[in-house]
Structures are given as structure tokens and as C-alpha cells.
Amino acid sequence: MTTLAIQPAFALTTGLLVLLLLGLLFWPQKGLLAIWSVGKANAQRVLLEDALKFLFDSEYKGIPIRLNGFAGYLHISTDKAARLVESLRSIGLVQFQEDMLKLTDAGRSYALRIIRVHRIWERYLADETGVANKEWHGRADLKEHSMSLEAADLLAAQIGNPVFDPHGDPIPSSRGELPAYTGKPLSALKEGELGRIVHIEDEPGAIYAQILALGLYPGMQIYIMDVSEDRIQFAANGEECVLTPLFASNITVESLKEREPLKEKYAALSTLKLGETAEIQAISPSCRGQQRRRLMDLGIVPGTLIHTAFASAAGDPVAYQVMGATVAIRRSQANLIFIKPSSNTKV
Amino acid sequence: MENPNKPSHDALLSLANNLRWDLGVNLHDAVIESIYEDASRIARNAVHKEGDPATYTLERRIDQLVTSRWLGFPMMFLMLALVFWLTVAGANVPSGLLANVLVDALHPLLKNAAGSVGMPWWLSGVLIDGAYLSMAWVISVMLPPMAIFFPLFTLLEDLGYLPRVAFNMDSLFRKAGAHGKQALTLSMGFGCNAAGVIAARVIDSPRERLIAIITNNFSLCNGRWPTQILIATIFIGGAAPSYLAGVVSAGAVVGIAVLGIGFSLAVSWALSQTVLKGEASAFSLELPPYRPPRIWQTLYTSLVDRTLFVLWRAVVFAVPAGVVIWLVANLHMGELSLAEHFIYWANPLALVFGLNGVILLAYIIAIPANEIVIPTVLMLTVVSAGMTGEGAGAGVMFELESIEDTAQILQAGGWTLLTGINLMLFSLLHNPCSTTIYTIYKETKSLKWTAVATFLPIVLGLAVCFFVTQFWYLFQGG
């Protein structure tokens, strides 16, 4: 047969090359196709909108604006930043007041629109999709430039008009309102003070990832145990944590006036042994969206008694008895369900 | 009358919104939790349980047995093997009977009747040799195994055993980013992929459900088992010494099925890591109490809802395909029929993948059902190789009683051991049949995922065949 004249070694190499080429083109997130579709966004507008976001955020938190910080945030040279400010001024989005850079009303409402889209999209990713929490911010940073305000409003209506994003930041209303800023950095709290985490800054990403790894989340109650120059020791939901002041400044807290009783350390459902019974205390806030609703549907809510019935042949998942039904729960989920320790009652 | 003191609509909304900021981050959960908390406290105080502890302990005993570390998996494999054995062994006789009646007896009768009323040859060809024969084939091969497999499977489900299988298998499927219940849809796929796709409804997490739907095609369905067994017997069994032939060819078929499970897990993992990463995922698995199966209801639901439903869809697709099969073999362009044009054109390309033009054409026109691939291959081989005295004419699908005769035709068509191996691989890794594709579309309501489920296996199949072939040539020295 003439076709067999094609050398197999040659054919194999060609085959491998074709596979490589396909991978290069279609690899998710890193492939040429993915990069190209990201690159389509209008670079100049993106820069302008990011600049407005930065200016607004600084104003909101009462931080003075310096050209250096501005350029650093946008990853551009100081020269380019100065030109950018000039072009923002020429289209009436910023103005100089007593040598201070200020947003005009038009600039402020533009920035609020971008922030609204960004935070609604983050909330959507957190509640309705399986996107990992480390990716929310990056994806919203891309989406905010391409999604219209109308589309964001529609999406917001679908997910119940949320007022906070998953990091605990308020979402600007469709009329452009935002509550006054009350938070202060965790590093500003003193020994013995009680606070609640309201926000965890998602930039820089490396610090954010480490804070997440500690299991901290907005809504968590913290109690400062010890403050020294290079470390802050505090209890979060009864669990002891240590952070450097640099890391702690990425966590915003609001102080709690009254000293609420500090809850004892939560035990995870996964620590409950076979044949034991306990009362459910809470579902961790890091269990969100569909998974949280599903657990609640099954009767995993505070106050319910749960009994460990039997394990599967491979050990995970484990079957629990709750509200008269037997349900299987994976270990990764059982780690996110808290029980009252040392209760031993009958179901 | 407008009250000047009344705040406007907008002001009210904005006030409400501002108040919501003061309520904190977790308001919704707090409300739901407190409702549940109150309800469960009231229920605990008011409801007095008078259960039957005896059945309850018995049930727990069974649970501990079927999920035990040492007995759990062997029991499961035995149970599934039994179901498959009953299906394969039980379906032989009724399948033969149906084929005797529908293909061997009724088909010539219809042809004669058409001849006697003076129907033109092309009309009787299209209608009887094409449409009718393809439908008859699909029914006779598809109906009996499904009519046995589905009731058995439904019985196990009704008994409460299948959720325990999902429970035991979850740790394996979790590692592949899938749901334990995919073990059930995968097993169901061995009966019929379309039914397996429908069965994925039991998975309520969107991501895991899509994974189960897209990978179901890697379960070797009923329609492909006969192909695998025939080809393995002719080529793989034929290459082994005669006293080992039976064991080797059976091993090859089981190997292909296991390879399919391997592909299913690997593709599940790849999908959950890449394109499906962002889909929402929520694990939940209830283990219902055991109960005596309701035999009649089981028979009814499995026969009417599953078997006849799937069969009807298959027949709807098989009829037009029969027409197409007849037409490509009988419409001529110049000297050659359309089929021959395609076969000669595709041959060089197909040989790179270790297949041939006949196989490619058969898989394209026999897309409605894997059951008619072998009859189509035989018919096309006879047509394209210009054999005389075999089969029943151009466009008339046929099968032979004797495996030796089938082997002779295929070998005359240029088939080698390599072609046999590649056909077995390609039969496992190619697009789902049109019934399944349509079902996937109905279940996902998405053209995108339907396209992925259709083309991903073909690309995989061609790649696997290509590398197998080229390595084969490499070690054979060209």
C-alpha cells in the first residue's frame, strides 16, 4: 500500500506536534485563544477605569493620593501616570483642589459604576459558581470593564440584590450610594479589644492567599490577645492566630463596643467519632452558595442533633443521621460544619 | 392626591437600601438559620417518636455490611457482574428470535409483496431495504438487552442498594472531580448511553452532572458489545493459539470496557480541572431506607419509561439513516456509487489511523445506532471490494451466521489484526449515537456541551488509533 510509505517516525512527530499546537491554542486560561480574548479589551479604557477606582478607594478611606502610589497601583511609570491624570482632567473626571487631586461628581459616579459591577460579579462568582475564592477578584477585574451596568443590575436582581460582596465590602447601590467608611485595620486594635472582621483586602494576592489559608473570613469575631512590634496575636472564633502587622493591615475590622461572650472553640463535624451524637453549632461562612443551601435543606442547621452512623468502604464520605434521614457528607464538607463539643445526647 | 410630606418612591428605596447595609453581611443566613432553629426546637418538644427499633437495627446491620471495608467492593462487583451476565445471557435467545422474524422472515416477505404490487425497485429499496431493515435491526438487537437490564437495575435502585454503591464509590469519583452517583450513571451507560445520560438527573450538582453526562459515552453500551465480541473473536482470538483463543478474546473485550472506565475517570478529572472548573458544585447524597421493591411498578417504569422511550428515539433516528445507507450504496456518480467514491477518497486518510474508508463511512452513516455498524461495514465491504455471492445486494445490510465467513469477508476487505484492534478502540472512543446526542441536548439544553460531548470522544479516538497505529508500524519496521 502506497500510503504506508509515510514513515511512522515522521507521522508520530507530526502527531505530537499537532497535539502540542492544539494545546497551545486551546489550553484554558493560558492558551493563545484565552489570552487573545482577554487582550481584546480596550487597554486605554481599562487603564482609565482602574485609575478612577484607585482614586475613589483612596478618597473613600481618607488616604491622601500620591502620584507614586497611583503609578505603582496601575503598574505604570510616573510619567505615564502624570499624563493619565492630565487626560482624566481634560475630560472632566478629576480636578485639582488646593493642589489635591479630587474626583469630580462625574468621575465619582463613573468609579461607583465600575465598583458596583466588580462587586456584584464577585458576589455572583462566590454564590452561584464553583470558582475558587482566590480567583474572584482577578476575574471581576476583567469583567468590570466589559459588563454594562444594566447587565449587572439584572444579575443583581437575579441573586437577590446583594448589598455586600464576598469580601465584606458594601456594593454601591444602583443610585451610586455607599455607606460611610467605618472600618479600621486590624493592626490598629489594642490588646484586649474585641472586633469583627468586615473586610479582607484581596490585593496583593500573595498576602490574601495566606490570610485565607488561616481560615479568616468576614463576619468572624476576633479578640486581640497580645500586640508587640512584629506580631499580633489574636483569637478568631476561639482559634489562636498570629500575624505580622503588615499582614494584619490588610484585614479591616470594626470594633465591638460591648464585650460579647467569646464563644468556645468550635469543633468540626469531621472530628465526631462513629456512633457519637452532637448538636450542630454553625456552618462555616466559607461554605457558600449552593453547597450551603443544600446542607441546610438536609437539616444541617444550628440546634439540630447529628449522629455519625457509618463510614463508606473507603472511609470518606461518612453517613450521618440527621432529622430522621441518613445523608452522606464528605470530609471536606464535614470540616466546614461546626458542632458543640462534648455533648452526648440521643437522637 | 400627592402628599408633599410623603417621601418619594426613590427616596424610600434608597432608605431601605441604606438600612440593609447596617444589617451586616450574613443577614439572609441568620434569618434562615433562626427559622430552622426555632422549627427544630418546637418539633423536638412536640413530636414524640415511636419508631420500630428492630427494623432500624437490622437496616443498620445491612448498611454496615454493604459498606464494610472488606466486603463492600467485592459485593458490589459481584452484583454488577451478575446483572451484566443475566443481560448478556438472557438477551441472546430473544434477540435471535426477533432477528428471525423481523429480518429473516418479514424482510423477504415485504420485498415480495412490493414486487407483486409493481413497486419500482428504487422505492422498495429505499423503504424496505433501507428504512425498514435498519429499524428491524435496531429493534432486534436493542430491545432484549434493555428489557432485561433496565428492570434489574431499577430493582436494585428500588431496593435502596444503588445509593450505597454511590456512597462506596464516592471517594474514587471525588478524586476525579466527580460525584459518587456517577458510578450509577456509568453502570447505566453499559446498558445504554442515552439512558445513562438521563440517569444523570439524580446528580443535583450542576458541575458533576455535566461531567457525568459528557463522560457517559465512555461506558461501552449494549450496542457496542456485539461488535467488540465479534472483532475480538476474529482478530485477537485468531492471533492467539487456539486453546487460548476464547480467554484472550474475552479478556480483550473486558480490557476495552475497563479502558472505557479509565477514560471516563481521566476525562472527568480533566474536565473538572479545566472547562468545568467554574460550574457550581454541591455534594449531597441521601441514603434512603431499604424497602421491598415494588415489582410491577418497577417493571412498568423500566419498560415504558426507559426501554420503550429509548427504543422509540432510536427507531426515529434509524429510519432516515436506513434510507441514507441504501442511497449511498445505490446512487451512482459516473461508474461508482457514492459510497465507493467516499471509501476510495477516505482510504489513505483512514490508513494513517489504522482504519479504512469503509469503517469511517460506516461510523458516519450508522450514527443512529451502534447496532447497525457491523451490518453496514459488511455491506460496504462487499460493495467496495466488488465481491459477488455475498450479502443481499447494494444497500442491504446483512450479518452472517458463521464467524468464519464474516472473517473471510473482512480479510478480503484488507483487514489485519491492527485494523481489528483499532476498530475496537474506535468503537469505544467515537461520537455517541444520535439518540444519545439528542438526549444530551435535551438534558443540558446547551449546544456547547452537546458539541463537547460529541466531538471530544472522536478526537480522543482518532488520537489513540493514530498513536497505536504509528507505534505498531514503528516496531514492525514500516
Side-chain angles (χ1 to χ4, degrees), chain A residues 13-309:
Chain A
T13 328
T14 320
L16 281 173
L17 279 177
V18 168
L19 280 189
L20 260 172
L21 198 71
L22 285 177
L24 207 65
L25 269 176
F26 294 108
W27 201 264
Q29 272 134 51
K30 294 192 184 80
L32 287 178
L33 205 68
I35 291 174
W36 177 76
S37 69
V38 169
K40 257 192 329 188
N42 183 333
Q44 187 56 35
R45 206 187 75 209
V46 168
L47 194 62
L48 185 143
E49 291 179 351
D50 285 344
L52 287 176
K53 248 179 25 176
F54 174 77
L55 294 175
F56 181 84
D57 196 51
S58 307
E59 266 191 28
Y60 185 62
K61 291 179 180 160
I63 307 167
I65 298 160
R66 288 192 200 87
L67 202 55
N68 278 342
F70 182 65
Y73 173 83
L74 296 171
H75 305 294
I76 55 176
S77 68
T78 339
D79 275 0
K80 204 170 173 200
R83 261 177 285 141
L84 181 63
V85 167
E86 184 45 40
S87 75
L88 282 174
R89 204 186 60 81
S90 70
I91 50 176
L93 295 176
V94 300
Q95 61 191 4
F96 284 101
Q97 268 180 8
E98 301 149 13
D99 276 357
M100 287 288 286
L101 193 58
K102 288 267 179 203
L103 285 169
T104 63
D105 284 345
R108 194 167 298 119
S109 96
Y110 194 160
L112 278 165
R113 283 207 303 270
I114 303 299
I115 293 172
R116 178 170 164 81
V117 174
H118 180 101
R119 294 185 179 165
I120 286 175
W121 191 251
E122 281 190 326
R123 178 65 183 246
Y124 165 76
L125 291 179
D127 284 4
E128 306 291 325
T129 73
V131 174
N133 47 11
K134 274 172 270 182
E135 286 179 36
W136 295 340
H137 182 73
R139 290 191 180 214
D141 259 351
L142 294 176
K143 196 71 182 180
E144 66 190 13
H145 306 297
S146 63
M147 193 181 201
S148 73
L149 193 62
E150 291 73 35
D153 284 345
L154 269 178
L155 183 68
Q158 270 172 31
I159 56 176
N161 284 314
V163 285
F164 290 99
D165 78 357
H167 307 291
D169 284 332
I171 298 174
S173 70
S174 51
R175 295 155 49 91
E177 294 155 319
L178 206 58
Y181 184 71
T182 54
K184 51 183 168 183
L186 172 60
S187 46
L189 285 188
K190 293 190 181 56
E191 201 175 311
E193 277 191 316
L194 197 67
R196 185 189 293 123
I197 298 178
V198 291
H199 171 68
I200 298 176
E201 182 54 45
D202 45 25
E203 276 178 345
I207 293 184
Y208 181 56
Q210 289 210 35
I211 293 174
L212 282 185
L214 281 175
L216 302 178
Y217 50 81
M220 215 176 199
Q221 186 183 304
I222 54 166
Y223 172 72
I224 306 293
M225 295 160 75
D226 185 39
V227 180
S228 69
E229 207 160 281
D230 54 352
R231 52 184 240 134
I232 297 171
Q233 194 182 5
F234 59 97
N237 279 358
E239 191 129 19
E240 210 178 290
C241 296
V242 177
L243 280 178
T244 63
L246 171 69
F247 278 55
S249 63
N250 275 293
I251 300 176
T252 310
V253 293
E254 59 182 12
S255 19
L256 295 178
K257 302 270 172 345
E258 279 171 60
R259 169 100 202 241
E260 289 176 26
L262 196 67
K263 283 178 185 150
E264 56 200 319
K265 187 179 166 179
Y266 292 156
L269 178 61
S270 49
T271 60
L272 198 66
K273 292 193 180 63
L274 281 184
E276 285 183 348
T277 302
E279 189 183 320
I280 290 165
Q281 182 100 343
I283 304 178
S284 160
S286 50
C287 173
R288 310 179 65 101
Q290 282 209 12
Q291 183 66 73
R292 190 181 186 84
R293 289 198 288 276
R294 184 78 62 222
L295 288 177
M296 287 176 146
D297 289 345
L298 292 173
I300 313 279
V301 283
T304 321
L305 289 182
I306 191 162
H307 172 80
T308 317

Side-chain angles (χ1 to χ4, degrees), chain A residues 1 3-4 6-9 11-12 14-16 19 22 27-29 123 128-131 135 139 160-165 168 170-175 177-179 198 218-219 279 282-283 285 290-292 294-299 301-305 307 309-319 321 323-333 347, chain B residues 10-11 13-15 17-18 20-26 28-29 32-33 36-37 40 44 49 56 59-60 63-64 66-70 72-73 164 166-174 177-180 204-208 273-275 277-288 347-349 351-352 414 459 463 466-467 469-471 473-474 477-478:
Chain A
M1 275 178 270
T3 41
L4 294 191
I6 302 173
Q7 285 298 313
L12 280 173
T14 320
L16 281 173
L19 280 189
L22 285 177
W27 201 264
Q29 272 134 51
R123 178 65 183 246
E128 306 291 325
T129 73
V131 174
E135 286 179 36
R139 290 191 180 214
N161 284 314
V163 285
F164 290 99
D165 78 357
I171 298 174
S173 70
S174 51
R175 295 155 49 91
E177 294 155 319
L178 206 58
V198 291
E279 189 183 320
I283 304 178
Q290 282 209 12
Q291 183 66 73
R292 190 181 186 84
R294 184 78 62 222
L295 288 177
M296 287 176 146
D297 289 345
L298 292 173
V301 283
T304 321
L305 289 182
H307 172 80
F310 53 95
S312 76
D316 177 21
V318 169
Q321 219 174 305
M323 288 194 171
T326 313
V327 296
I329 296 180
R330 287 177 175 173
R331 188 172 298 133
S332 56
Q333 292 173 296
V347 173
Chain B
D10 275 2
L13 277 181
S14 118
L15 180 66
N17 201 51
N18 292 346
R20 285 178 70 202
W21 276 315
D22 295 335
L23 289 171
V25 180
N26 300 321
H28 278 109
D29 278 354
I32 295 170
E33 276 172 12
Y36 271 107
E37 211 173 334
S40 75
R44 231 186 300 158
K49 272 187 214 141
Y56 191 72
E59 189 162 291
R60 222 10 48 92
D63 266 337
Q64 268 152 7
V66 299
T67 63
S68 80
R69 190 170 287 258
W70 304 114
F73 291 117
R164 270 77 183 174
F167 181 57
N168 279 336
M169 295 300 283
D170 185 64
S171 72
L172 176 66
F173 281 88
R174 187 187 60 237
H179 193 294
D204 50 11
S205 170
R207 184 202 306 177
E208 283 77 0
Q273 295 297 309
T274 56
V275 281
K277 206 172 164 190
E279 297 287 324
S281 156
F283 177 80
S284 78
L285 173 60
E286 278 188 73
L287 301 171
N347 255 333
L349 181 75
L351 279 170
V352 175
V459 173
F466 173 81
F467 283 104
T469 306
Q470 298 305 330
F471 274 111
Y473 288 154
L474 194 67

Side-chain angles (χ1 to χ4, degrees), chain B residues 141-328:
Chain B
V141 185
M142 210 169 175
L143 181 59
M146 287 209 298
I148 298 174
F149 183 79
F150 287 143
L152 286 177
F153 209 74
T154 317
L155 271 180
L156 284 181
E157 191 177 7
D158 215 29
L159 195 68
Y161 180 65
L162 290 190
R164 270 77 183 174
V165 171
F167 181 57
N168 279 336
M169 295 300 283
D170 185 64
S171 72
L172 176 66
F173 281 88
R174 187 187 60 237
K175 285 175 193 128
H179 193 294
K181 285 182 192 165
Q182 193 173 321
L184 308 184
T185 64
L186 188 147
S187 316
M188 186 72 112
F190 281 116
C192 169
N193 294 138
V197 167
I198 295 175
R201 283 178 192 169
V202 298
I203 301 174
D204 50 11
S205 170
R207 184 202 306 177
E208 283 77 0
R209 177 157 174 254
L210 267 177
I211 291 177
I213 288 177
I214 294 173
T215 59
N216 198 270
N217 184 44
F218 296 116
S219 292
L220 200 61
C221 71
N222 255 328
R224 291 182 268 175
W225 283 96
T227 309
Q228 298 283 352
I229 294 169
L230 179 73
I231 301 298
T233 313
I234 293 175
F235 291 99
I236 297 187
S242 58
Y243 62 96
L244 278 178
V247 181
V248 169
S249 51
V253 175
V254 173
I256 290 281
V258 172
L259 185 72
I261 297 176
F263 266 104
S264 192
L265 287 169
V267 171
S268 296
W269 179 83
L271 286 173
S272 70
Q273 295 297 309
T274 56
V275 281
L276 287 174
K277 206 172 164 190
E279 297 287 324
S281 156
F283 177 80
S284 78
L285 173 60
E286 278 188 73
L287 301 171
Y290 294 101
R291 51 170 181 245
R294 295 154 298 179
I295 307 268
W296 294 113
Q297 198 172 340
T298 302
L299 270 178
Y300 178 83
T301 49
S302 55
L303 285 182
V304 173
D305 293 353
R306 281 179 178 158
T307 311
L308 288 185
F309 178 76
V310 171
L311 189 70
W312 172 243
R313 274 193 188 172
V315 165
V316 166
F317 283 107
V319 167
V323 173
V324 171
I325 291 172
W326 189 87
L327 287 177
V328 293

